[in-house]
Amino acid sequence: METKDLRKAGLKVTLPRLKILEIFENNPDEHLSAEDVYRHLMEEGDEKIGLATVYRVLTQFESAGLIARHNFDGGQAVFELEQGKHHDHIVCVHCGKVVEFVDKTIEDRQKAIAEENGFILTDHSLVMYGNCQGKDCAGHSK
């Protein structure tokens, strides 16, 4: 995304917006909380951008369709760059690791279930929860 994307979304180009958008662009595979974004800003030396500004910009970006918000069970809201491609998520209940996936069989079955029940599917969200096997995960069985 570029500054023209901010303008096209109806947002004025400001330094905080540019910096926050850059964080998402530099971390395209991550699901970041407002605190994660703020931490990135602090690491880059942008102490002038406060946490309240981060929350406000994230809300503006979400309303403009630039990012997507997810509220996974038991966790805080996380955001990812909106790339227009549908995907589902699996979340580790111990460490919070999020993995995105697309499965044609699951997608086809969900559409069929909607149709069987007299619905035309317009959108859906599938989130699965489990225990990841990451070595750094607190729930990893050793």
Side-chain angles (χ1 to χ4, degrees), residues 15-27 32 36-49:
L15 186 61
R17 288 182 183 142
L18 288 173
K19 293 282 188 179
I20 292 170
L21 186 57
E22 183 179 285
I23 289 168
F24 280 97
E25 289 172 338
N26 291 338
N27 300 280
L32 303 169
D36 293 332
V37 172
Y38 182 70
R39 195 173 311 108
H40 278 279
L41 290 167
M42 293 301 101
E43 289 169 3
E44 294 173 7
D46 289 314
E47 291 90 13
K48 294 178 183 173
I49 302 173

Side-chain angles (χ1 to χ4, degrees), residues 47-117:
E47 291 90 13
K48 294 178 183 173
I49 302 173
L51 187 56
T53 299
V54 171
Y55 276 104
R56 186 172 54 256
V57 169
L58 291 176
T59 299
Q60 293 166 345
F61 281 5
E62 180 187 13
S63 295
L66 298 174
I67 61 173
R69 173 193 303 255
H70 301 287
N71 293 303
F72 300 129
D73 285 351
Q76 59 190 341
V78 292
F79 303 85
E80 66 178 319
L81 208 52
E82 181 58 66
Q83 299 177 352
K85 298 178 184 173
H86 172 77
H87 59 270
D88 296 308
H89 299 91
I90 185 165
V91 180
C92 179
V93 297
H94 293 287
C95 69
K97 176 182 177 179
V98 179
V99 175
E100 298 176 352
F101 69 94
V102 176
D103 184 288
K104 184 175 178 352
T105 303
I106 291 173
E107 297 302 316
D108 291 345
R109 188 66 191 123
Q110 290 176 105
K111 184 177 178 185
I113 290 169
E115 289 173 359
E116 290 166 10
N117 289 282

Side-chain angles (χ1 to χ4, degrees), residues 100 120 129:
E100 298 176 352
I120 296 172
Y129 298 91

Side-chain angles (χ1 to χ4, degrees), residues 118-131:
F119 286 81
I120 296 172
L121 196 60
T122 58
D123 194 14
H124 76 276
S125 174
L126 173 66
V127 181
M128 300 188 314
Y129 298 91
N131 301 318

